Amino acid sequence: MGTVRGIELLRRVQRAPAREGDGRGAPARARLREEALELAQREALVDAAYCWRVVALEVPTGAHLHAGGERLHAPWLLPESGELTALACLVCTLGERLERRICELFAERRAALALALDELGNELLFELARRAQDRLHARVRRGGLAMAGELRAGDPGLALQAQPAVLRLAQAQRLGVEVTPGAMMHPVKSTAMVLGVGIDLPAARWSRCDPCPSRERCARRVPGAAAAASAATPGRA
């Protein structure tokens, strides 16, 4: 299990330049974002943590991947070359305090600030997941293996019903992250993903963003050949 200081995440997000399409250039929106940043920092609303497990695949393998007693239908993770040997399952969360504060702001009829804080939470979770994924990738590379692809339950390449299995594989209970009967995560500001691990895996030529109709105007779109964890590391250590 790993942690990232909330204040560190807030500073990184605060320094991030506005990107085309994210709407942050509007004065009113920029002011609300600054207010949300100050609130999150002053009240220590961010309890960022992550955990992962790399779980060996059970043989035989195919479109249905068997690992750790779970079964995932994730054909997108099957490489064009190389050997897929394991699944890396990662869970990240910002904790419950941010979510509770957003609900309180709505109850106080401060909807604009509540929405700004909710949007800030999405930015923070994106940054946390990126940093956790980078650390996982470094750990996998130290073992002489490659990591490629990224799927989250509900993506075209992984059904939403896979969410409980991904969380069990990642041992998300260590973070207090649970899945609801509707396959949503609690705390809400949490995310989980599964990635392929193996030998001589090629860089993924697809991205989980590819099928999205809003991908061209999305500020956080991930290009297909440059997904955060799609770079392959050849050979064994």
Side-chain angles (χ1 to χ4, degrees):
M1 186 170 74
T3 59
V4 177
R5 293 177 62 228
I7 188 67
E8 181 183 349
L9 271 184
L10 285 163
R11 286 172 178 166
R12 290 181 68 90
V13 168
Q14 187 173 28
R15 290 195 300 263
R19 289 180 286 188
E20 184 179 355
D22 67 7
R24 281 164 45 191
R29 189 167 180 178
R31 177 183 56 78
L32 281 167
R33 185 173 183 274
E34 284 301 315
E35 189 175 349
L37 280 162
E38 291 172 6
L39 179 64
Q41 181 174 340
R42 183 173 66 252
E43 298 187 7
L45 297 179
V46 182
D47 187 17
Y50 60 87
C51 64
W52 69 62
R53 284 178 71 216
V54 178
V55 187
L57 286 176
E58 302 161 3
V59 291
T61 60
H64 289 90
L65 305 176
H66 298 258
E70 304 289 349
R71 179 175 178 268
L72 298 179
H73 183 253
W76 282 21
L77 291 182
L78 296 175
E80 296 177 359
S81 60
E83 180 184 359
L84 185 70
T85 62
L87 299 178
C89 297
L90 168 66
V91 176
C92 305
T93 185
L94 299 181
E96 296 186 23
R97 290 197 295 269
L98 186 70
E99 178 184 343
R100 285 199 300 266
R101 193 68 178 97
I102 291 168
C103 292
E104 290 169 358
L105 288 169
F106 274 116
E108 296 166 5
R109 299 189 177 184
R110 302 168 69 187
L113 181 56
L115 290 171
L117 190 59
D118 183 73
E119 187 172 316
L120 175 63
N122 293 338
E123 289 186 60
L124 292 167
L125 187 58
F126 183 87
E127 175 65 19
L128 174 63
R130 187 193 64 79
R131 297 194 64 189
Q133 202 170 344
D134 286 347
R135 293 175 185 180
L136 171 57
H137 195 191
R139 177 72 63 86
V140 167
R141 284 189 299 177
R142 285 200 296 271
L145 298 173
M147 191 167 77
E150 174 195 335
L151 287 175
R152 308 186 191 202
D155 286 348
L158 186 64
L160 184 60
Q161 289 74 19
Q163 191 78 281
V166 174
L167 265 61
R168 286 192 296 267
L169 286 170
Q171 295 184 339
Q173 74 275 9
R174 292 187 292 165
L175 302 180
V177 176
E178 301 173 335
V179 62
T180 71
M184 299 295 290
M185 279 183 282
H186 177 79
V188 172
K189 294 303 183 190
S190 303
T191 189
M193 65 190 74
V194 59
L195 307 102
V197 174
I199 302 166
D200 294 331
L201 297 183
R205 297 183 181 278
W206 51 266
S207 163
R208 56 185 297 267
C209 300
D210 290 347
C212 178
S214 302
R215 64 187 181 277
E216 296 302 329
R217 57 181 182 274
C218 177
R220 297 191 179 91
R221 179 173 63 92
V222 179
S230 65
T233 303
R236 295 181 184 267

